[in-house]
Amino acid sequence: MVRTGFRTVEGAIEAEAAKVAGLTHGALLRIEDWSAQVPSVSGLEVLLLQPAQPNDQVLLEIAPAIADEYELVACFGAGPGLGQAQILLEGKRVGEPQSGASEQAGLSGEVVLQSGSFVPRPYVVSLRSLDGKPVALDYLRFRKIPAAGSGASGQ
């Protein structure tokens, strides 16, 4: 059955559809449909990393469509039993750790990880569980930074 009428974020790289380039031995990946509990989830689903121990991670390959100035942003999942997530770009920590702990399922909104020039090539992004608890990622996105004086929002 094909589902229609769901929300997607323009330019989003859906975490559950991103190319997996690696996974820590013992960790598991699940794709979960969160659309019933979190109607604002992009593309219906999230990628859930179930680590075997702290600092387990999944490596994802993402790429911008064209060379430009971007903010790399992420939208994380939150809910009961979720832990601390950290994103690494090309092996370096970017952004602040994000707590997924919440009494109810929800989303973080877009969190800026890094700003700068990106070219159309694969970048390795790691989703890491800092505390050994599951972490959820809805999407990543290269959000264009408007040229100075353009008045555009970039979103």
Side-chain angles (χ1 to χ4, degrees):
M1 178 172 93
V2 176
R3 294 174 68 182
T4 61
F6 57 89
R7 174 183 180 266
T8 58
V9 172
E10 183 179 347
I13 302 164
E14 299 293 338
E16 66 276 8
K19 179 181 177 183
V20 175
L23 179 65
T24 305
H25 181 73
L28 299 173
L29 284 182
R30 288 183 38 196
I31 296 172
E32 290 191 350
D33 184 337
W34 278 26
S35 61
Q37 55 192 357
V38 185
S40 61
V41 70
S42 179
L44 302 174
E45 300 167 328
V46 298
L47 181 69
L48 186 74
L49 170 64
Q50 295 182 294
Q53 60 190 2
N55 295 313
D56 278 358
Q57 63 186 359
V58 59
L59 307 177
L60 305 172
E61 280 188 11
I62 62 171
I66 60 171
D68 213 329
E69 296 291 315
Y70 295 100
E71 291 176 326
L72 176 60
V73 299
C75 183
F76 297 90
L82 295 183
Q84 287 275 118
Q86 175 73 58
I87 296 286
L88 290 81
L89 176 63
E90 301 288 310
K92 296 181 182 176
R93 289 178 186 235
V94 292
E96 296 296 320
Q98 298 296 309
S99 175
S102 176
E103 290 182 15
Q104 296 184 345
L107 298 173
S108 66
E110 289 193 340
V111 175
V112 177
L113 303 171
Q114 182 166 321
S115 299
S117 296
F118 290 91
V119 297
R121 69 161 179 89
Y123 291 88
V124 176
V125 173
S126 307
L127 171 64
R128 181 178 285 177
S129 170
L130 296 178
D131 54 11
K133 294 180 180 177
V135 293
L137 183 63
D138 187 13
Y139 64 87
L140 297 155
R141 174 164 91 106
F142 289 98
R143 185 169 64 193
K144 187 174 175 0
I145 299 172
S150 73
S153 70
Q155 294 186 12

